[in-house]
Amino acid sequence: MKRKKSRWPLRTSHRPQGRGSSVTTQRALDGIVVLDLSQVYNGPYCTTLLAQLGAEIIKIEPFGGEPVRWRVVDEQQTAAFDLLNGGKKSLRLNLKDAEGRALFLRLVERADIVVENFSPGTLARLSLDYDVLAEVNERIILASGRGYGARTPQAAHRAMDLTIQAMTGVMATTGQPDQPPTKAGPAIADFFGGTHLMAAITAALYQRTVTGRGQHVEVAMQDAVVPSLTSSIAGYLDSKATLPERTGNRHSGLAVCPYNVYPTSDGWVAILCMNDAHWKSLCGLMARADLADDPAFGSPPARVARMDELDEIVGAWTATTTRDDVVERLQQLRVPCAPVLGLSDLMHGPLVGSGAMIQPVRDEAGRESYVLGTPLRLAASPPVPAAPAPALGAHTEEVLRDRLGLDTADLARLRDRKVV
């Protein structure tokens, strides 16, 4: 079938403003329409980032909603869903129905991006793979979040964050040396994958301004996680595979010391000395000039060689005072350090609030929830106001009426047929 020509002109870039210009109210991705088929964490975080730059996100869900909506308590929207779907529109659509697929393709004609992280082969089984989408809109960008790289033996396997951590060495390098492999606390594979997928999308959007055509972009969580193992891989290579894989709270490549979590009288504190200046400042604070002047501790390799001894010395000093006192005194000397905070500290601290990374919102019914803020700060692209996550199918009629011109009778018939 011959591809249809685009009905839209190429978007032209805006001229950069002069230094004295006032900041525009236009956001970086204003006017970009995203059809979001994704679920759980990987894809939804990608589309959250796009939304925070101004893109309109139409979240297309099956009749039961995506899995994260109800996985804790039936009929009660979960906090995880709220956090990752603030400000999106929800369209309930049966893609297994021929008419449902036809409606989706009509939406594709008027969209810029489709995001999905289904298991391998799902889009093809739905007859909605890239070639089909590009037939109706040559400018469409299909963004696929995958588990494993296309050229790996596991390419066709189903994947979740836990399995990716297992397959990439993350679990093998997490935990104490004498304990079993441990998964990282945060869902790093899902979120690293989602962040990299967003980067691929923005690159494809830019390339489209030159070529006039979209493309299929893919990011495997497996690939996105591997660079974060740089210290561990470097330690493996530099030591000729003699270092332990799991180093606990110590540096992954055992190349920096002090580098650990140390006890205080009321908690824990993380301290690291990346250079000799940090080390000497710490020695001065501990009143241990003898250590600062001792050639046996005079270089990073020398300190690493006596790591157990140094960790005992530093820990004995931190244990004599409070966590906040240790942090304040080290910060004054510009030594990298931080208190070890729990989730309660996080939720009652400066990262929660209006304009922060976790923002409280209230929907029209008065239900309170939290949504994620943006880590992306663009001086000329103001942040999108926080808004609650949508109820399942809350925008179905709005989207189909406004975008496809369906009337009340059409919508009633589609509901009766359980297409929407």
Coordinates of all heavy atoms in Angstrom, one line a residue, residues 99-164:
E99 N -13.1 -2.6 15.4 CA -13.5 -1.2 15.4 C -12.7 -0.4 16.4 O -12.4 0.8 16.1 CB -15.0 -1.1 15.7 CG -15.6 0.3 15.5 CD -17.1 0.4 15.5 OE1 -17.7 -0.6 15.9 OE2 -17.6 1.4 15.1
G100 N -12.3 -1.0 17.5 CA -11.4 -0.4 18.4 C -10.0 0.0 17.8 O -9.5 1.0 17.9
R101 N -9.5 -1.0 17.0 CA -8.2 -0.8 16.3 C -8.4 0.4 15.3 O -7.5 1.2 15.1 CB -7.7 -2.0 15.6 CG -7.2 -3.1 16.6 CD -6.4 -4.2 15.9 NE -7.2 -4.9 15.0 CZ -8.0 -5.9 15.3 NH1 -8.1 -6.3 16.5 NH2 -8.7 -6.6 14.3
A102 N -9.5 0.4 14.6 CA -9.8 1.4 13.6 C -9.8 2.8 14.2 O -9.3 3.8 13.7 CB -11.1 1.1 12.8
L103 N -10.5 2.9 15.4 CA -10.5 4.1 16.1 C -9.1 4.6 16.5 O -8.7 5.8 16.4 CB -11.4 4.0 17.3 CG -12.9 4.0 17.1 CD1 -13.6 3.6 18.4 CD2 -13.4 5.3 16.5
F104 N -8.3 3.6 17.0 CA -6.9 3.9 17.4 C -6.1 4.5 16.2 O -5.4 5.4 16.3 CB -6.3 2.7 17.9 CG -4.8 2.9 18.3 CD1 -4.5 3.6 19.4 CD2 -3.8 2.4 17.5 CE1 -3.2 3.9 19.8 CE2 -2.5 2.6 17.9 CZ -2.2 3.3 19.0
L105 N -6.3 3.8 15.0 CA -5.5 4.3 13.8 C -6.0 5.7 13.4 O -5.2 6.5 12.9 CB -5.7 3.3 12.7 CG -5.0 2.0 12.9 CD1 -5.3 1.0 11.8 CD2 -3.4 2.2 13.0
R106 N -7.3 6.0 13.6 CA -7.7 7.4 13.3 C -7.1 8.4 14.3 O -6.7 9.5 13.9 CB -9.2 7.5 13.4 CG -10.0 6.7 12.3 CD -11.5 6.8 12.5 NE -11.9 8.2 12.4 CZ -13.2 8.6 12.7 NH1 -14.1 7.7 13.1 NH2 -13.5 9.9 12.7
L107 N -6.9 8.0 15.5 CA -6.1 8.8 16.5 C -4.7 8.9 16.1 O -4.1 10.0 16.2 CB -6.3 8.2 17.9 CG -7.6 8.3 18.5 CD1 -7.6 7.5 19.8 CD2 -8.0 9.7 18.8
V108 N -4.1 7.9 15.6 CA -2.7 7.9 15.1 C -2.5 8.9 14.0 O -1.5 9.6 14.0 CB -2.2 6.5 14.7 CG1 -0.9 6.6 13.9 CG2 -2.2 5.5 15.8
E109 N -3.5 9.1 13.1 CA -3.4 10.1 12.0 C -3.1 11.4 12.6 O -2.5 12.3 11.9 CB -4.7 10.1 11.2 CG -4.9 8.9 10.4 CD -6.1 9.1 9.5 OE1 -6.3 10.1 8.8 OE2 -7.0 8.2 9.5
R110 N -3.6 11.7 13.8 CA -3.6 13.1 14.3 C -2.6 13.2 15.5 O -2.6 14.1 16.3 CB -5.0 13.5 14.8 CG -6.0 13.6 13.7 CD -7.4 13.4 14.1 NE -8.4 13.6 13.1 CZ -8.7 12.7 12.2 NH1 -8.1 11.5 12.3 NH2 -9.6 12.9 11.2
A111 N -1.7 12.2 15.7 CA -0.8 12.1 16.8 C 0.6 12.3 16.3 O 0.9 12.2 15.1 CB -1.0 10.9 17.6
D112 N 1.5 12.4 17.3 CA 2.9 12.5 17.0 C 3.7 11.3 17.4 O 4.7 10.9 16.8 CB 3.5 13.8 17.7 CG 3.0 15.1 17.2 OD1 3.4 15.5 16.1 OD2 2.1 15.6 17.9
I113 N 3.3 10.7 18.6 CA 4.1 9.6 19.2 C 3.1 8.6 19.7 O 2.0 8.9 20.3 CB 4.9 10.2 20.4 CG1 5.8 11.3 19.9 CG2 5.7 9.1 21.1 CD1 6.3 12.2 21.1
V114 N 3.5 7.3 19.6 CA 2.8 6.2 20.3 C 3.9 5.6 21.2 O 5.0 5.3 20.7 CB 2.3 5.2 19.3 CG1 1.8 4.0 20.0 CG2 1.2 5.8 18.4
V115 N 3.6 5.4 22.5 CA 4.5 4.8 23.4 C 3.9 3.5 23.9 O 2.7 3.4 24.2 CB 4.8 5.7 24.6 CG1 5.7 5.0 25.6 CG2 5.4 7.0 24.1
E116 N 4.7 2.4 23.9 CA 4.2 1.1 24.4 C 5.4 0.3 25.0 O 6.5 0.5 24.6 CB 3.6 0.3 23.2 CG 4.6 0.0 22.1 CD 5.3 -1.4 22.2 OE1 4.8 -2.2 23.0 OE2 6.3 -1.6 21.5
N117 N 5.0 -0.5 26.0 CA 6.0 -1.4 26.5 C 5.4 -2.8 26.8 O 5.6 -3.4 27.8 CB 6.6 -0.9 27.8 CG 5.6 -0.7 28.9 OD1 4.4 -0.4 28.7 ND2 6.1 -0.7 30.2
F118 N 4.6 -3.2 25.8 CA 4.0 -4.5 25.8 C 5.1 -5.6 25.7 O 6.3 -5.3 25.3 CB 3.1 -4.7 24.6 CG 1.8 -3.9 24.7 CD1 1.4 -3.2 23.6 CD2 1.1 -3.8 25.9 CE1 0.2 -2.4 23.6 CE2 -0.1 -3.0 25.9 CZ -0.5 -2.3 24.8
S119 N 4.7 -6.8 26.0 CA 5.7 -7.9 25.8 C 6.0 -8.1 24.3 O 5.1 -7.7 23.5 CB 5.1 -9.2 26.4 OG 3.9 -9.5 25.8
P120 N 7.1 -8.6 23.9 CA 7.5 -8.7 22.5 C 6.4 -9.4 21.7 O 5.9 -10.4 22.1 CB 8.8 -9.5 22.6 CG 9.4 -9.2 23.9 CD 8.2 -9.1 24.8
G121 N 6.1 -8.8 20.5 CA 5.2 -9.4 19.6 C 3.7 -9.0 19.8 O 2.9 -9.2 18.9
T122 N 3.4 -8.2 20.9 CA 2.0 -7.9 21.1 C 1.5 -6.9 20.1 O 0.4 -7.2 19.6 CB 1.9 -7.2 22.5 OG1 2.3 -8.2 23.5 CG2 0.5 -6.8 22.8
L123 N 2.2 -5.9 19.7 CA 1.7 -5.0 18.7 C 1.5 -5.7 17.4 O 0.5 -5.4 16.7 CB 2.7 -3.8 18.5 CG 2.5 -2.6 19.5 CD1 3.4 -1.4 19.0 CD2 1.1 -2.2 19.7
A124 N 2.4 -6.6 17.0 CA 2.2 -7.3 15.7 C 0.9 -8.1 15.8 O 0.2 -8.2 14.8 CB 3.4 -8.2 15.5
R125 N 0.7 -8.8 16.9 CA -0.6 -9.6 17.0 C -1.8 -8.7 17.0 O -2.9 -9.2 16.5 CB -0.5 -10.4 18.3 CG 0.5 -11.5 18.3 CD 0.3 -12.5 19.5 NE 0.5 -11.8 20.8 CZ 1.7 -11.8 21.4 NH1 2.7 -12.3 20.8 NH2 1.8 -11.2 22.6
L126 N -1.7 -7.5 17.4 CA -2.8 -6.5 17.3 C -2.9 -5.9 15.9 O -3.8 -5.1 15.7 CB -2.7 -5.5 18.4 CG -2.9 -5.9 19.8 CD1 -2.5 -4.8 20.8 CD2 -4.3 -6.4 20.1
S127 N -2.0 -6.2 15.0 CA -1.9 -5.6 13.7 C -1.7 -4.0 13.9 O -2.3 -3.2 13.1 CB -3.2 -5.9 12.9 OG -3.3 -7.2 12.6
L128 N -0.9 -3.7 14.8 CA -0.6 -2.3 15.1 C 0.9 -2.0 15.2 O 1.3 -1.1 15.9 CB -1.3 -1.8 16.4 CG -2.8 -1.8 16.4 CD1 -3.4 -1.5 17.7 CD2 -3.3 -0.8 15.3
D129 N 1.7 -2.7 14.4 CA 3.2 -2.5 14.5 C 3.5 -1.2 13.7 O 2.6 -0.6 13.1 CB 3.9 -3.7 14.0 CG 3.5 -4.2 12.6 OD1 2.9 -3.4 11.9 OD2 3.9 -5.3 12.2
Y130 N 4.8 -0.9 13.7 CA 5.2 0.4 13.1 C 4.8 0.6 11.6 O 4.3 1.6 11.2 CB 6.7 0.6 13.2 CG 7.2 1.8 12.5 CD1 6.9 3.1 13.0 CD2 7.9 1.8 11.3 CE1 7.3 4.3 12.4 CE2 8.2 2.9 10.6 CZ 7.9 4.2 11.2 OH 8.3 5.3 10.5
D131 N 4.9 -0.5 10.8 CA 4.6 -0.3 9.4 C 3.1 0.0 9.2 O 2.7 0.9 8.4 CB 4.9 -1.6 8.7 CG 6.4 -1.8 8.5 OD1 7.1 -0.8 8.6 OD2 6.8 -3.0 8.2
V132 N 2.3 -0.5 10.1 CA 0.8 -0.2 10.0 C 0.6 1.2 10.4 O -0.2 2.0 9.8 CB 0.0 -1.2 10.9 CG1 -1.5 -0.8 10.9 CG2 0.2 -2.6 10.4
L133 N 1.2 1.7 11.5 CA 1.0 3.0 12.0 C 1.6 4.0 10.9 O 0.9 5.1 10.7 CB 1.8 3.3 13.3 CG 1.4 2.3 14.5 CD1 2.1 2.7 15.7 CD2 -0.1 2.2 14.7
A134 N 2.7 3.8 10.3 CA 3.3 4.7 9.4 C 2.5 4.8 8.1 O 2.6 5.8 7.4 CB 4.7 4.2 9.1
E135 N 1.7 3.8 7.8 CA 0.8 3.8 6.6 C -0.2 5.0 6.8 O -0.6 5.6 5.8 CB 0.1 2.5 6.4 CG 0.9 1.4 5.9 CD 1.3 1.6 4.4 OE1 0.7 2.5 3.8 OE2 2.2 0.9 3.9
V136 N -0.7 5.2 8.0 CA -1.7 6.2 8.2 C -1.1 7.6 8.6 O -1.7 8.6 8.4 CB -2.7 5.8 9.2 CG1 -3.5 4.5 8.8 CG2 -2.1 5.6 10.6
N137 N 0.2 7.6 9.0 CA 0.8 8.8 9.4 C 2.3 8.6 9.3 O 3.0 8.0 10.2 CB 0.4 9.2 10.8 CG 1.1 10.5 11.3 OD1 1.8 11.1 10.5 ND2 0.8 11.0 12.5
E138 N 2.9 9.1 8.3 CA 4.4 8.9 8.1 C 5.2 9.6 9.1 O 6.4 9.4 9.2 CB 4.8 9.3 6.6 CG 4.6 10.8 6.4 CD 5.0 11.2 4.9 OE1 5.2 10.3 4.1 OE2 5.1 12.4 4.7
R139 N 4.6 10.6 9.8 CA 5.4 11.4 10.8 C 5.3 10.7 12.2 O 5.9 11.2 13.1 CB 4.8 12.8 10.9 CG 5.1 13.6 9.6 CD 4.4 14.9 9.6 NE 4.6 15.7 10.8 CZ 5.7 16.5 11.0 NH1 6.6 16.6 10.1 NH2 5.9 17.2 12.1
I140 N 4.6 9.6 12.3 CA 4.4 9.0 13.7 C 5.7 8.5 14.2 O 6.5 7.9 13.4 CB 3.3 7.9 13.7 CG1 2.8 7.7 15.1 CG2 3.8 6.7 13.0 CD1 2.0 8.8 15.7
I141 N 6.0 8.6 15.5 CA 7.1 8.0 16.1 C 6.6 6.9 17.1 O 5.8 7.2 18.0 CB 7.9 9.1 16.9 CG1 8.6 10.1 16.0 CG2 9.0 8.4 17.8 CD1 9.1 11.3 16.6
L142 N 7.0 5.7 16.8 CA 6.6 4.6 17.7 C 7.8 4.4 18.7 O 8.9 4.1 18.2 CB 6.3 3.3 16.9 CG 6.0 2.1 17.7 CD1 4.9 2.2 18.7 CD2 5.9 0.8 16.8
A143 N 7.5 4.5 19.9 CA 8.5 4.3 21.0 C 8.2 3.1 21.8 O 7.2 3.0 22.4 CB 8.6 5.5 21.9
S144 N 9.2 2.1 21.8 CA 8.9 0.8 22.4 C 9.9 0.6 23.6 O 11.1 0.7 23.4 CB 9.1 -0.3 21.4 OG 8.1 -0.2 20.4
G145 N 9.4 0.4 24.8 CA 10.2 0.1 25.9 C 10.3 -1.5 25.9 O 9.3 -2.2 26.0
R146 N 11.5 -2.0 25.9 CA 11.7 -3.4 25.9 C 12.5 -3.9 27.1 O 13.1 -3.0 27.9 CB 12.5 -3.8 24.6 CG 11.8 -3.6 23.3 CD 10.7 -4.6 23.1 NE 9.9 -4.4 21.9 CZ 8.7 -3.9 22.0 NH1 8.1 -3.6 23.1 NH2 8.0 -3.8 20.8
G147 N 12.5 -5.1 27.4 CA 13.2 -5.7 28.5 C 14.7 -5.9 28.1 O 15.6 -5.4 28.7
Y148 N 14.8 -6.7 27.0 CA 16.2 -7.1 26.6 C 16.5 -6.6 25.2 O 15.6 -6.3 24.4 CB 16.3 -8.6 26.6 CG 16.0 -9.3 27.9 CD1 14.7 -9.9 28.2 CD2 16.9 -9.2 29.0 CE1 14.4 -10.4 29.4 CE2 16.6 -9.8 30.2 CZ 15.4 -10.4 30.4 OH 15.1 -10.9 31.7
G149 N 17.8 -6.4 24.9 CA 18.2 -5.9 23.7 C 17.8 -6.8 22.5 O 17.7 -8.1 22.7
A150 N 17.5 -6.3 21.4 CA 17.0 -7.0 20.2 C 18.0 -8.1 19.8 O 17.6 -9.1 19.2 CB 16.7 -6.1 19.1
R151 N 19.3 -7.9 20.0 CA 20.3 -8.9 19.5 C 20.7 -9.9 20.6 O 21.7 -10.6 20.5 CB 21.5 -8.2 19.0 CG 21.1 -7.3 17.8 CD 22.3 -6.6 17.2 NE 22.0 -5.7 16.1 CZ 22.8 -5.0 15.4 NH1 24.1 -4.9 15.8 NH2 22.4 -4.2 14.4
T152 N 20.0 -9.9 21.7 CA 20.4 -10.8 22.8 C 19.6 -12.1 22.8 O 18.5 -12.1 22.2 CB 20.2 -10.1 24.2 OG1 18.8 -9.9 24.4 CG2 20.9 -8.8 24.3
P153 N 20.1 -13.2 23.4 CA 19.3 -14.4 23.4 C 17.9 -14.3 24.1 O 17.0 -15.1 23.8 CB 20.2 -15.4 24.1 CG 21.6 -14.8 24.0 CD 21.4 -13.3 24.0
Q154 N 17.8 -13.3 24.9 CA 16.6 -13.1 25.7 C 15.6 -12.2 25.0 O 14.6 -11.7 25.6 CB 16.9 -12.6 27.1 CG 17.7 -13.5 28.0 CD 19.2 -13.5 27.6 OE1 19.7 -12.4 27.2 NE2 19.9 -14.6 27.8
A155 N 15.9 -11.7 23.8 CA 15.1 -10.7 23.1 C 13.6 -10.9 23.2 O 12.8 -10.0 23.3 CB 15.5 -10.5 21.7
A156 N 13.1 -12.2 23.1 CA 11.7 -12.5 23.1 C 11.1 -12.7 24.4 O 9.9 -13.0 24.6 CB 11.4 -13.7 22.1
H157 N 12.0 -12.7 25.5 CA 11.5 -13.0 26.8 C 10.7 -11.9 27.4 O 11.0 -10.7 27.2 CB 12.7 -13.3 27.8 CG 13.4 -14.6 27.4 ND1 14.4 -15.1 28.2 CD2 13.3 -15.4 26.4 CE1 14.8 -16.2 27.7 NE2 14.2 -16.4 26.5
R158 N 9.7 -12.2 28.3 CA 9.1 -11.2 29.1 C 10.0 -10.7 30.1 O 10.9 -11.5 30.6 CB 7.8 -11.8 29.7 CG 6.7 -12.2 28.8 CD 5.6 -12.9 29.4 NE 4.5 -13.2 28.5 CZ 3.4 -12.4 28.3 NH1 3.3 -11.3 29.1 NH2 2.5 -12.7 27.5
A159 N 9.9 -9.5 30.5 CA 10.8 -8.9 31.5 C 10.1 -7.9 32.4 O 9.2 -7.3 32.0 CB 11.9 -8.1 30.7
M160 N 10.6 -7.9 33.6 CA 10.2 -6.9 34.6 C 11.5 -6.4 35.3 O 12.6 -6.9 35.1 CB 9.3 -7.6 35.7 CG 8.0 -8.1 35.1 SD 6.9 -6.8 34.4 CE 6.3 -6.0 35.9
D161 N 11.3 -5.4 36.1 CA 12.5 -4.8 36.7 C 13.4 -5.8 37.4 O 14.6 -5.8 37.3 CB 12.0 -3.7 37.7 CG 13.2 -2.9 38.3 OD1 13.7 -3.3 39.3 OD2 13.6 -1.9 37.7
L162 N 12.7 -6.7 38.2 CA 13.5 -7.7 38.9 C 14.3 -8.6 38.0 O 15.5 -8.9 38.3 CB 12.5 -8.6 39.8 CG 13.2 -9.7 40.6 CD1 14.1 -9.1 41.7 CD2 12.1 -10.6 41.2
T163 N 13.7 -9.0 36.9 CA 14.5 -9.9 36.0 C 15.6 -9.2 35.3 O 16.7 -9.8 35.1 CB 13.5 -10.6 34.9 OG1 13.0 -9.5 34.1 CG2 12.4 -11.3 35.6
I164 N 15.4 -7.9 35.0 CA 16.5 -7.2 34.4 C 17.7 -7.0 35.4 O 18.8 -7.1 35.1 CB 16.0 -5.8 33.9 CG1 15.0 -6.0 32.8 CG2 17.2 -5.0 33.4 CD1 15.5 -6.7 31.6

